[in-house]
Amino acid sequence: MEKTMPIDGRFELMALPYAAEALEPVISANTLAFHHGKHLAAYVNNLNAALPGSGLEGLPLEDVVLKAEGGMLNNAGQILNHNLYFGQFRAPKADNVPTGVLAEAIDKDFGSFEAFKEAFAKAGATLFGSGWAWLSADGDGKLVIAQEPNAANPIQRGLHPLMTMDVWEHAYYLDYQNRRPDHLAALWQIIDWDIVAVRYQG
Ligand code: MN
């Protein structure tokens, strides 16, 4: 995984790789404006404010996640989580499925893409409170689905994160209110499987 380096001791708010309206109607421009422009921006500002004197200045974001504790860990983890989340989308597409080596791995480890989606949706829907559902690869390349609470990231457990769905209410409440499963089901239309495949093979 390519590491995220600070510039002059500060992490930057990631630029969205698509227009604010590009993910509609799955994720509205309004939700993106708050989720990326307010929530993620706050995590970036909080971490940057905490870095001086922490002993973790100059480290890549991924190393901060592995070494920090408390509030610094929460903010660093949320930046890493959101960078992976916002970086994996593109405009809605019907019949949006993975291809190539990644598709073969999904079939091998979950039986089929449909079975994978069902297991992943269940992980997202049943995660109590705030957190993230993840598709990751272990050290042998085997794919695993996991729930991570709050700001946790699979790298803390030695896994390589590939794709994620944010189940914090701030990710969907403006568009879906309490209907988290409906939001998660819609997200399959905008997953950029080419990017997930690059993460898998990278
Ligand atoms: Mn979020």
Side-chain angles (χ1 to χ4, degrees), residues 35 82 132 166 168 170:
H35 197 183
H82 285 92
W132 301 77
D166 185 348
W168 284 60
H170 68 219

Side-chain angles (χ1 to χ4, degrees), residues 86-101:
F86 288 122
Q88 69 183 7
F89 295 134
R90 56 155 172 64
K93 179 183 170 189
D95 194 26
N96 184 32
V97 297
T99 58
V101 172

Side-chain angles (χ1 to χ4, degrees), residues 80-133:
L80 180 58
N81 293 346
H82 285 92
N83 287 357
L84 289 163
Y85 174 80
F86 288 122
Q88 69 183 7
F89 295 134
R90 56 155 172 64
K93 179 183 170 189
D95 194 26
N96 184 32
V97 297
T99 58
V101 172
L102 177 63
E104 290 167 15
I106 287 173
D107 286 345
K108 175 170 169 284
D109 292 330
F110 301 106
S112 68
F113 182 58
E114 287 305 313
F116 157 71
K117 284 205 300 184
E118 191 175 321
F120 195 95
K122 186 177 177 188
T126 62
L127 197 161
F128 186 78
S130 296
W132 301 77

